[in-house]
Amino acid sequence: MFRLFVVIGSILLWGGISSGFVSSDEHKSDGLSEEVKKLSRSTEWKQVEKIDLDFNIHHPQGMTKIGDLYYISSVEILEETEQYEEPKGGYERSPGEGIGHLFIIDEEGNLVEDLELGEDDMYHPGGIAYDGEYIWVPVSEYRPDSHSIIYKVDPKTKEVTKEFEADDHIGGIVKDEKNNNIYGVNWGSRQLYEWNGKGELKSVQDNNSHFIDYQDCEGVDKGNMLCTGLAELTADTDETYELGGLALLNKKTKEIQHEIPISEFSSNNHNITRNPVFVEKMEKGLRLFGVPDDDYASLYIYETETQ
């Protein structure tokens, strides 16, 4: 059963909020790729704002920003998946149960609208991206080597369109408005996908980088996509350290253009790139938005100046 309905915050009126929609040519920041390449391990990120969200965001996944509105995908878990002792039907775990969300949030952290996305066992949204016209959202089963639906959402009308399905867990998606191709990463971003505009698979190739697992990606200038995520590193003491990072990839060749670690943490000790992230270019540097924590969380904003 396909589910879609909208929840509108009781104290908010859509007409009083600036949508800030921009055209395909205007929504990307020219020069962002070059600014990213100036980042290094020694780059200093300064937290400039922390916005408390006024609702339960559950387990957020992907983020994009259009004008003064944030769009954040998230999964609400109703029943946890359970690991099988032996694989069943090619799966290592049960499907669990949940609800996929695309939350629309204003600059003060108020929930404006809630679009529910998903179908049957596919309830886990991934990283999202805006192509200047639509927001692209993959919704997958909450287990590797499974299945996904690729949606596009019109931010003006809130109309949701099911574009195609994929025979894997797709954890992030980017649409290139110039060549009309669609690029995705699977569970742990171990493989990189490319489809044509009709959803026909063009290629799958291994990700040669093992630095971080990509959580969220966004198309940027010069044919690149910017991905963020983390790797969980375990010491002999069984303590886990979240190594966050950022990777700039060429969409066509899948080659890494630049990678850097990020070691900023939330008040709950989660790396800022653990969950959804959006990066934009400033006049003299970059601004990073992240929601690293679950449930009743905050949106952190960091800035850095590049030389």
Side-chain angles (χ1 to χ4, degrees), residues 11-295:
I11 62 172
L12 296 174
L13 295 176
W14 178 254
I17 298 173
S18 172
S19 59
F21 295 111
V22 289
S23 73
S24 176
D25 291 334
E26 294 172 339
H27 89 278
K28 295 204 179 87
S29 297
D30 287 339
L32 193 145
S33 290
E34 292 305 314
E35 291 300 310
V36 168
K37 290 179 181 180
K38 296 176 184 178
L39 303 176
S40 70
R41 185 181 299 176
S42 60
T43 295
E44 294 184 3
W45 294 89
K46 179 182 178 181
Q47 182 183 322
V48 296
E49 194 169 1
K50 178 183 175 184
I51 303 169
D52 294 331
L53 305 181
D54 76 338
F55 65 102
N56 187 341
I57 200 167
H58 303 294
H59 182 27
Q61 300 294 312
M63 172 166 44
T64 194
K65 186 173 184 287
I66 307 173
D68 53 11
L69 294 175
Y70 302 96
Y71 297 77
I72 299 179
S73 62
S74 180
V75 58
E76 177 183 357
I77 302 300
L78 303 178
E79 177 186 314
E80 297 281 353
T81 61
E82 294 184 5
Q83 198 80 16
Y84 295 136
E85 292 184 4
E86 298 289 339
K88 295 182 180 180
Y91 296 114
E92 65 173 25
R93 66 184 74 181
S94 66
E97 185 178 351
I99 302 172
H101 298 272
L102 180 63
F103 295 120
I104 304 174
I105 305 163
D106 69 16
E107 289 187 310
E108 296 180 351
N110 300 306
L111 177 63
V112 177
E113 298 192 36
D114 173 6
L115 307 180
E116 290 195 2
L117 303 174
E119 182 178 323
D120 300 325
D121 290 336
M122 291 173 281
Y123 59 85
H124 188 294
I128 67 176
Y130 178 54
D131 69 357
E133 185 175 7
Y134 297 104
I135 299 168
W136 292 78
V137 187
V139 180
S140 310
E141 297 181 41
Y142 202 171
R143 48 189 179 179
D145 304 312
S146 55
H147 302 88
S148 305
I149 299 172
I150 309 302
Y151 294 102
K152 68 178 184 183
V153 180
D154 187 329
K156 296 180 182 179
T157 65
K158 314 305 177 297
E159 180 181 0
V160 176
T161 304
K162 178 179 174 180
E163 285 293 290
F164 63 95
E165 296 190 16
D167 291 328
D168 199 351
H169 175 108
I170 302 303
I173 202 85
V174 169
K175 169 71 180 301
D176 190 313
E177 70 271 24
K178 291 184 178 180
N179 63 23
N180 210 36
N181 288 342
I182 300 162
Y183 303 88
V185 300
N186 69 353
W187 183 285
S189 63
R190 293 306 90 211
Q191 290 182 306
L192 308 174
Y193 280 78
E194 182 176 352
W195 301 269
N196 65 20
K198 297 179 180 179
E200 298 168 337
L201 185 62
K202 294 187 65 177
S203 68
V204 185
Q205 68 184 68
D206 292 339
N207 185 355
N208 293 325
S209 174
H210 297 270
F211 173 48
I212 57 171
D213 295 343
Y214 306 146
Q215 172 70 26
D216 200 6
C217 298
E218 188 85 28
V220 296
D221 62 339
K222 295 192 174 180
N224 294 325
M225 61 181 184
L226 183 62
C227 297
T228 54
L230 57 76
E232 291 188 342
L233 307 179
T234 304
D236 292 338
T237 58
D238 290 332
E239 294 181 353
T240 299
Y241 177 81
E242 292 181 354
L243 173 65
L246 175 155
L248 184 70
L249 296 83
N250 180 276
K251 284 181 286 191
K252 184 177 181 179
T253 66
K254 316 300 188 295
E255 293 180 356
I256 301 293
Q257 306 296 302
H258 196 62
E259 288 180 321
I260 63 155
I262 293 180
S263 55
E264 300 296 332
F265 290 82
S266 72
S267 56
N268 289 328
N269 205 33
H270 285 303
N271 193 286
I272 193 66
T273 63
R274 170 179 179 256
N275 282 336
V277 168
F278 180 78
V279 178
E280 66 181 14
K281 183 177 178 293
M282 302 187 302
E283 184 177 352
K284 295 182 179 180
L286 295 170
R287 181 178 294 117
L288 183 150
F289 306 82
V291 183
D293 302 319
D294 297 341
D295 301 324

